[in-house]
Amino acid sequence: MIYELKLPSLGADMESARFVEWKIKAGEKVKKNQEVAIIETSKAAVSIESFKAGTVVELLGKPKEIYRVGEVLAKIEVEEPESELLSLRDLTARAMARSKKEIPHYYIKTKAQVDNLFQFLDQLRETSPQGERLSVPAALLFLLSRVLIDFPEFNGVFENQKFIAKEPVNIGIAISLKNKGVVVPAIIESQKLDLFQINEALNDLITRARSGNIKTTELVSGTFTVTNLGDLGVEEVFGVIVPPQVAIMGWGAIHQEPVVISNSEIKAKSILTISLSADHRVSDGLLGASFLKAFTKAIENPKTIFEARQG
Amino acid sequence: MIKDELLKQIKINLEKVAPEINFEKINFSNNFRAQVEIDSYDMYRFLLLLESTTQVKITETSLRRMQSLEDLVNYILDEQKK
C-alpha cells in the first residue's frame, strides 16, 4: 500500500513552502515519525516527518521548488501487518514443502478420555481463589509441557545433520488468522508456567496473533508444535513437522464415543484423538508410542499430574 | 433473566467474539457447533462474556452435555433459579 507524504500545514496561514532538502533516499526504509525532509516556510526552516513506516518508492519534492500545502512530496510503500502475514504464509508453504521432502515422517495416534479433565477443571475453578474459567486447550498444553520434559527426543531441533534437544519447552501453536492464513508462534518456556499462566499466555498469544502483534522470537523459537483442528469438527489431524523441529502433535475434535466399561456395560465418553508426526531420524514409533501413552495418562489422571507438577 | 433477554445477550456476545457469524441463520434447536465455524478460543471468550453477563458459571462437564443454543439457554435459566 502506498502512503503519500504530503506537504503538511504548519499553521493556519500557511499556504505553501519552499522545499530545501531530503534526509532520505529512494529505496531507503523509514521509520514512523522519522524526520525525512527540510522545508522553509515564510517564518522558518522546519523538518517534516513521515507518519508511517515503510520503504521510499519515489521522491517528488525538488530543492528550491515551491509546493502548496497538501501536494505530494514522496511515495512510501507501507508495511502493513497483513502483507507481513501473507509473506509469512509463503514462508510457511516453503517450509512445509521442505519438511515433507527432507524429514522422514512417521505417524501414530491414540485416543484419550477427557471426562476426568473436565471434572478436574470444574473442581479447580471452584476451589481456586481466582475462580477464572480455564480453557481445555490451555489445560492440555500445561500437561503436554510437563510430559515433554520426560521425552527430550521430541523437544528440540535437527540442524547440521544432528539433533539438539532443547531444555526450554517452547510449544508452537498453529493459530488460524481467520481467512488470512496460519501462524505458529510459541509459548516460551511453557515448562516453567503453571496452568493459570499458560491459560493467560495462550489467550494473549491468540489475541496478538490475530491483531498482527506477534514477536519474531515467538515465531522462530518453537521446539515442538501443536495443531488443533478439532475446532472445525475434524476428528484427527496429522501435521507436517515445522523445520527445524522434529515433532508435531495434532488434536482432533473432542466428541462422544461408546466405550466398553465392562462385559455388560457400555458408556458414552468424551474422546480426544491425539496424533503424533515425528522425525524418524531422531525417534521411532516405539518411543513415540511411549510419549503418547504418557500424555494420555496425564490427561486421564490430571489430578496426579497437576499436584505433582504444578509450577 | 427471561428467555428473550438471554437470547439477546447471547447474540450480542457472539457478535463481539465472532462478528463473521450470521446469528439470524442459527437454528436454536440444532447442534450449534455444526452450524457455525467457531474455534475453541472464540468459544472460550464467548463463554467468559456470557458468564459475566448472566452471573452463571458454565461448567465444562455440563457444557459437554449441551448441543444447541437452546440447551445453553435452558441451563442458564435453570442455574439462575437455584
Side-chain angles (χ1 to χ4, degrees):
Chain A
M1 193 184 140
I2 298 289
Y3 158 61
E4 293 183 331
L5 176 80
K6 295 172 181 170
L7 179 69
S9 170
L10 302 169
D13 56 348
M14 178 178 155
E15 287 179 6
S16 61
R18 185 189 300 272
F19 193 85
V20 178
E21 64 170 320
W22 283 111
K23 295 280 185 187
I24 51 171
K25 291 174 187 160
E28 205 176 289
K29 283 195 182 269
V30 292
K31 293 176 188 162
K32 191 180 173 186
N33 299 331
Q34 182 182 331
E35 180 185 310
V36 293
I38 305 287
I39 54 165
E40 195 175 79
T41 67
S42 55
K43 290 168 187 162
V46 288
S47 64
I48 56 173
E49 55 193 50
S50 169
F51 292 113
K52 292 190 178 180
T55 307
V56 180
V57 177
E58 197 178 359
L59 297 177
L60 302 167
K62 293 189 175 73
K64 296 181 184 172
E65 293 268 0
I66 305 285
Y67 292 93
R68 278 176 285 116
V69 169
E71 273 200 79
V72 179
L73 299 176
K75 290 182 179 175
I76 293 168
E77 176 82 36
V78 176
E79 290 163 11
E80 290 285 305
E82 191 170 324
S83 62
E84 283 172 25
L85 292 171
L86 283 175
S87 69
L88 272 173
R89 180 155 57 181
D90 291 343
L91 287 172
T92 306
R94 273 182 227 160
M96 292 298 101
R98 200 186 100 207
S99 170
K100 284 294 271 188
K101 200 174 158 191
E102 294 177 6
I103 303 174
H105 287 61
Y106 69 87
Y107 309 94
I108 52 172
K109 70 166 185 178
T110 190
K111 288 178 178 181
Q113 291 183 24
V114 273
D115 300 280
N116 284 354
L117 183 63
F118 295 153
Q119 281 171 21
F120 180 75
L121 286 176
D122 288 341
Q123 284 164 9
L124 194 67
R125 198 178 176 198
E126 281 300 316
T127 53
S128 77
Q130 297 98 322
E132 66 192 273
R133 183 174 196 92
L134 297 161
S135 75
V136 175
L140 292 172
L141 283 172
F142 171 80
L143 294 169
L144 179 62
S145 70
R146 271 39 180 192
V147 173
L148 267 172
I149 296 170
D150 297 334
F151 291 87
E153 293 84 356
F154 299 96
N155 186 62
V157 293
F158 194 90
E159 281 175 331
N160 301 322
Q161 300 304 310
K162 63 173 186 182
F163 173 66
I164 305 156
K166 296 281 185 183
E167 202 181 318
V169 180
N170 301 338
I171 304 182
I173 298 138
I175 299 172
S176 158
L177 302 174
K178 298 192 175 184
N179 303 325
K180 287 181 191 166
V182 173
V183 283
V184 192
I187 295 182
I188 308 292
E189 300 208 83
S190 60
Q191 85 283 3
K192 289 185 178 171
L193 305 178
D194 67 26
L195 173 58
F196 293 97
Q197 289 167 327
I198 286 193
N199 191 66
E200 198 180 324
L202 178 62
N203 293 338
D204 175 57
L205 205 61
I206 296 171
T207 306
R208 285 192 291 110
R210 289 184 175 167
S211 58
N213 288 310
I214 286 294
K215 297 171 196 158
T216 313
T217 328
E218 292 167 327
L219 288 170
V220 298
S221 309
T223 56
F224 185 90
T225 298
V226 167
T227 175
N228 177 18
L229 278 185
D231 289 337
L232 300 178
V234 177
E235 278 194 19
E236 53 188 61
V237 49
F238 291 94
V240 177
I241 298 167
V242 180
Q245 295 167 32
V246 295
I248 180 168
M249 181 177 274
W251 296 341
I254 295 174
H255 60 284
Q256 296 278 302
E257 264 187 31
V259 172
V260 178
I261 305 294
S262 67
N263 282 344
S264 57
E265 194 185 4
I266 293 173
K267 266 193 171 178
K269 294 277 184 186
S270 297
I271 301 293
L272 167 70
T273 303
I274 305 158
S275 71
L276 179 73
S277 312
D279 188 334
H280 226 315
R281 296 172 298 183
V282 183
S283 64
D284 56 29
L286 204 63
L287 193 62
S290 298
F291 171 44
L292 285 191
K293 194 177 173 188
F295 184 46
T296 304
K297 195 177 162 193
I299 294 170
E300 294 181 349
N301 305 280
K303 203 169 179 179
T304 328
I305 305 294
F306 276 89
E307 281 171 359
R309 295 220 163 134
Q310 177 73 273
Chain B
M1 194 176 275
I2 55 169
K3 198 170 180 176
D4 284 350
E5 176 60 22
L6 187 52
L7 278 171
K8 197 176 150 190
Q9 288 304 326
I10 287 175
K11 182 176 188 278
I12 291 169
N13 291 327
L14 257 185
E15 279 171 351
K16 273 185 195 163
V17 300
E20 65 276 12
I21 290 175
N22 186 344
F23 188 79
E24 309 304 330
K25 285 191 175 174
I26 299 173
N27 182 317
F28 296 154
S29 309
N30 292 357
N31 188 309
F32 174 62
R33 298 289 290 262
Q35 296 178 76
V36 296
E37 276 192 9
I38 182 166
D39 65 23
S40 53
Y41 176 64
D42 285 344
M43 193 66 193
Y44 172 79
R45 284 169 61 220
F46 167 62
L47 292 170
L48 279 184
L49 287 171
L50 200 59
E51 287 187 342
S52 165
T53 318
T54 61
Q55 299 298 309
V56 168
K57 277 187 185 175
I58 303 159
T59 63
E60 283 297 335
T61 320
S62 51
L63 193 63
R64 301 294 151 175
R65 289 195 293 268
M66 299 176 206
Q67 297 279 317
S68 63
L69 282 184
E70 195 167 28
D71 293 340
L72 180 61
V73 166
N74 290 336
Y75 172 83
I76 292 171
L77 292 175
D78 285 349
E79 287 295 308
Q80 282 178 332
K81 282 178 203 160
K82 285 180 186 172

Short mmCIF file of all heavy atoms in Angstrom, two decimals, chain A residues 116-143:
data_model
loop_
_atom_site.label_atom_id
_atom_site.label_comp_id
_atom_site.label_asym_id
_atom_site.label_seq_id
_atom_site.Cartn_x
_atom_site.Cartn_y
_atom_site.Cartn_z
N ASN A 116 -12.42 -36.90 32.90
CA ASN A 116 -11.75 -36.58 34.17
C ASN A 116 -11.14 -35.19 34.16
O ASN A 116 -11.13 -34.48 35.16
CB ASN A 116 -10.65 -37.60 34.48
CG ASN A 116 -11.20 -38.92 34.95
OD1 ASN A 116 -12.42 -39.02 35.16
ND2 ASN A 116 -10.35 -39.91 35.11
N LEU A 117 -10.63 -34.81 32.99
CA LEU A 117 -10.01 -33.49 32.87
C LEU A 117 -11.08 -32.40 33.02
O LEU A 117 -10.86 -31.39 33.69
CB LEU A 117 -9.29 -33.35 31.53
CG LEU A 117 -8.54 -32.04 31.29
CD1 LEU A 117 -7.42 -31.85 32.30
CD2 LEU A 117 -7.96 -31.98 29.88
N PHE A 118 -12.25 -32.62 32.42
CA PHE A 118 -13.35 -31.65 32.55
C PHE A 118 -13.74 -31.49 34.02
O PHE A 118 -13.88 -30.36 34.51
CB PHE A 118 -14.59 -32.10 31.77
CG PHE A 118 -14.39 -32.15 30.27
CD1 PHE A 118 -15.15 -33.01 29.50
CD2 PHE A 118 -13.47 -31.33 29.64
CE1 PHE A 118 -14.97 -33.06 28.12
CE2 PHE A 118 -13.29 -31.38 28.27
CZ PHE A 118 -14.05 -32.25 27.51
N GLN A 119 -13.89 -32.63 34.67
CA GLN A 119 -14.27 -32.59 36.10
C GLN A 119 -13.20 -31.87 36.92
O GLN A 119 -13.50 -31.07 37.80
CB GLN A 119 -14.44 -34.01 36.64
CG GLN A 119 -15.79 -34.61 36.25
CD GLN A 119 -15.86 -36.09 36.60
OE1 GLN A 119 -15.12 -36.58 37.43
NE2 GLN A 119 -16.76 -36.79 35.94
N PHE A 120 -11.95 -32.19 36.59
CA PHE A 120 -10.86 -31.57 37.33
C PHE A 120 -10.85 -30.05 37.14
O PHE A 120 -10.66 -29.29 38.09
CB PHE A 120 -9.52 -32.17 36.89
CG PHE A 120 -8.37 -31.57 37.63
CD1 PHE A 120 -8.11 -31.91 38.95
CD2 PHE A 120 -7.58 -30.60 37.03
CE1 PHE A 120 -7.08 -31.32 39.65
CE2 PHE A 120 -6.54 -30.01 37.72
CZ PHE A 120 -6.29 -30.37 39.04
N LEU A 121 -11.07 -29.60 35.90
CA LEU A 121 -11.10 -28.15 35.63
C LEU A 121 -12.24 -27.48 36.39
O LEU A 121 -12.08 -26.37 36.91
CB LEU A 121 -11.24 -27.89 34.12
CG LEU A 121 -9.99 -28.15 33.27
CD1 LEU A 121 -10.28 -27.94 31.79
CD2 LEU A 121 -8.84 -27.25 33.71
N ASP A 122 -13.39 -28.16 36.45
CA ASP A 122 -14.53 -27.60 37.19
C ASP A 122 -14.21 -27.48 38.69
O ASP A 122 -14.50 -26.46 39.32
CB ASP A 122 -15.77 -28.48 36.99
CG ASP A 122 -16.35 -28.33 35.58
OD1 ASP A 122 -16.02 -27.32 34.92
OD2 ASP A 122 -17.10 -29.21 35.15
N GLN A 123 -13.57 -28.55 39.23
CA GLN A 123 -13.22 -28.52 40.66
C GLN A 123 -12.18 -27.45 40.95
O GLN A 123 -12.28 -26.72 41.93
CB GLN A 123 -12.64 -29.88 41.08
CG GLN A 123 -13.71 -30.96 41.24
CD GLN A 123 -13.10 -32.36 41.28
OE1 GLN A 123 -11.88 -32.52 41.35
NE2 GLN A 123 -13.96 -33.37 41.20
N LEU A 124 -11.21 -27.36 40.06
CA LEU A 124 -10.13 -26.37 40.24
C LEU A 124 -10.70 -24.96 40.25
O LEU A 124 -10.30 -24.10 41.02
CB LEU A 124 -9.11 -26.53 39.10
CG LEU A 124 -7.77 -25.84 39.29
CD1 LEU A 124 -6.99 -26.48 40.42
CD2 LEU A 124 -6.95 -25.92 38.01
N ARG A 125 -11.67 -24.76 39.38
CA ARG A 125 -12.28 -23.44 39.28
C ARG A 125 -13.06 -23.10 40.55
O ARG A 125 -13.06 -21.96 41.00
CB ARG A 125 -13.22 -23.42 38.07
CG ARG A 125 -13.55 -22.03 37.65
CD ARG A 125 -14.43 -22.02 36.44
NE ARG A 125 -14.77 -20.66 36.15
CZ ARG A 125 -15.77 -20.30 35.39
NH1 ARG A 125 -16.52 -21.20 34.82
NH2 ARG A 125 -16.04 -19.03 35.19
N GLU A 126 -13.71 -24.12 41.09
CA GLU A 126 -14.47 -23.92 42.33
C GLU A 126 -13.58 -23.56 43.49
O GLU A 126 -13.92 -22.75 44.34
CB GLU A 126 -15.26 -25.20 42.67
CG GLU A 126 -16.52 -25.39 41.86
CD GLU A 126 -17.53 -24.26 42.04
OE1 GLU A 126 -17.74 -23.85 43.20
OE2 GLU A 126 -18.09 -23.79 41.03
N THR A 127 -12.39 -24.19 43.52
CA THR A 127 -11.53 -24.03 44.69
C THR A 127 -10.46 -22.95 44.54
O THR A 127 -9.90 -22.50 45.53
CB THR A 127 -10.83 -25.37 45.02
OG1 THR A 127 -10.19 -25.83 43.83
CG2 THR A 127 -11.83 -26.42 45.48
N SER A 128 -10.15 -22.57 43.30
CA SER A 128 -9.07 -21.59 43.14
C SER A 128 -9.54 -20.19 43.52
O SER A 128 -10.70 -19.83 43.28
CB SER A 128 -8.56 -21.59 41.70
OG SER A 128 -9.44 -20.90 40.87
N PRO A 129 -8.65 -19.41 44.12
CA PRO A 129 -9.04 -18.06 44.53
C PRO A 129 -9.43 -17.18 43.34
O PRO A 129 -10.29 -16.32 43.44
CB PRO A 129 -7.79 -17.51 45.23
CG PRO A 129 -6.70 -18.48 45.00
CD PRO A 129 -7.27 -19.74 44.46
N GLN A 130 -8.78 -17.43 42.18
CA GLN A 130 -9.09 -16.61 41.00
C GLN A 130 -10.48 -16.90 40.46
O GLN A 130 -11.17 -16.01 40.00
CB GLN A 130 -8.07 -16.87 39.87
CG GLN A 130 -6.65 -16.50 40.20
CD GLN A 130 -5.85 -17.71 40.64
OE1 GLN A 130 -6.38 -18.58 41.33
NE2 GLN A 130 -4.60 -17.75 40.27
N GLY A 131 -10.87 -18.17 40.53
CA GLY A 131 -12.18 -18.59 40.04
C GLY A 131 -12.37 -18.38 38.55
O GLY A 131 -13.48 -18.39 38.04
N GLU A 132 -11.27 -18.19 37.85
CA GLU A 132 -11.39 -17.88 36.42
C GLU A 132 -11.63 -19.14 35.57
O GLU A 132 -11.25 -20.24 35.96
CB GLU A 132 -10.15 -17.16 35.91
CG GLU A 132 -8.90 -18.01 35.93
CD GLU A 132 -7.65 -17.18 35.70
OE1 GLU A 132 -7.29 -16.98 34.55
OE2 GLU A 132 -7.04 -16.74 36.69
N ARG A 133 -12.26 -18.93 34.45
CA ARG A 133 -12.51 -20.03 33.53
C ARG A 133 -11.20 -20.41 32.84
O ARG A 133 -10.47 -19.55 32.36
CB ARG A 133 -13.53 -19.57 32.47
CG ARG A 133 -13.91 -20.66 31.53
CD ARG A 133 -15.01 -20.33 30.55
NE ARG A 133 -15.47 -21.61 30.03
CZ ARG A 133 -16.46 -22.29 30.56
NH1 ARG A 133 -17.12 -21.82 31.57
NH2 ARG A 133 -16.79 -23.47 30.07
N LEU A 134 -10.90 -21.69 32.83
CA LEU A 134 -9.69 -22.17 32.17
C LEU A 134 -10.10 -22.91 30.91
O LEU A 134 -11.07 -23.66 30.91
CB LEU A 134 -8.93 -23.12 33.10
CG LEU A 134 -8.43 -22.48 34.40
CD1 LEU A 134 -8.12 -23.54 35.44
CD2 LEU A 134 -7.19 -21.64 34.12
N SER A 135 -9.36 -22.69 29.84
CA SER A 135 -9.77 -23.37 28.59
C SER A 135 -9.16 -24.76 28.53
O SER A 135 -8.07 -25.01 29.08
CB SER A 135 -9.37 -22.54 27.38
OG SER A 135 -7.99 -22.61 27.13
N VAL A 136 -9.85 -25.67 27.85
CA VAL A 136 -9.37 -27.05 27.72
C VAL A 136 -8.02 -27.09 26.98
O VAL A 136 -7.10 -27.77 27.43
CB VAL A 136 -10.43 -27.95 27.05
CG1 VAL A 136 -9.90 -29.35 26.82
CG2 VAL A 136 -11.69 -27.99 27.92
N PRO A 137 -7.87 -26.35 25.86
CA PRO A 137 -6.56 -26.36 25.19
C PRO A 137 -5.43 -25.92 26.13
O PRO A 137 -4.33 -26.46 26.07
CB PRO A 137 -6.74 -25.37 24.04
CG PRO A 137 -8.19 -25.41 23.73
CD PRO A 137 -8.87 -25.60 25.06
N ALA A 138 -5.71 -24.94 27.00
CA ALA A 138 -4.67 -24.48 27.94
C ALA A 138 -4.29 -25.62 28.89
O ALA A 138 -3.10 -25.82 29.19
CB ALA A 138 -5.16 -23.26 28.71
N ALA A 139 -5.29 -26.37 29.36
CA ALA A 139 -5.01 -27.48 30.28
C ALA A 139 -4.20 -28.56 29.57
O ALA A 139 -3.24 -29.11 30.13
CB ALA A 139 -6.32 -28.06 30.80
N LEU A 140 -4.55 -28.82 28.31
CA LEU A 140 -3.80 -29.83 27.54
C LEU A 140 -2.36 -29.37 27.32
O LEU A 140 -1.42 -30.16 27.42
CB LEU A 140 -4.48 -30.07 26.18
CG LEU A 140 -5.85 -30.77 26.23
CD1 LEU A 140 -6.50 -30.77 24.84
CD2 LEU A 140 -5.73 -32.20 26.75
N LEU A 141 -2.19 -28.08 27.04
CA LEU A 141 -0.83 -27.54 26.84
C LEU A 141 -0.01 -27.64 28.12
O LEU A 141 1.18 -27.94 28.08
CB LEU A 141 -0.90 -26.08 26.38
CG LEU A 141 -1.27 -25.85 24.92
CD1 LEU A 141 -1.50 -24.36 24.65
CD2 LEU A 141 -0.18 -26.38 23.99
N PHE A 142 -0.67 -27.38 29.24
CA PHE A 142 0.03 -27.47 30.52
C PHE A 142 0.55 -28.90 30.72
O PHE A 142 1.72 -29.12 31.04
CB PHE A 142 -0.91 -27.08 31.67
CG PHE A 142 -0.33 -27.37 33.03
CD1 PHE A 142 0.60 -26.50 33.59
CD2 PHE A 142 -0.66 -28.52 33.73
CE1 PHE A 142 1.17 -26.77 34.83
CE2 PHE A 142 -0.11 -28.80 34.96
CZ PHE A 142 0.80 -27.92 35.52
N LEU A 143 -0.34 -29.88 30.52
CA LEU A 143 0.06 -31.28 30.71
C LEU A 143 1.17 -31.66 29.73
O LEU A 143 2.15 -32.31 30.09
CB LEU A 143 -1.15 -32.20 30.52
CG LEU A 143 -2.25 -32.05 31.57
CD1 LEU A 143 -3.51 -32.79 31.14
CD2 LEU A 143 -1.79 -32.55 32.93
#
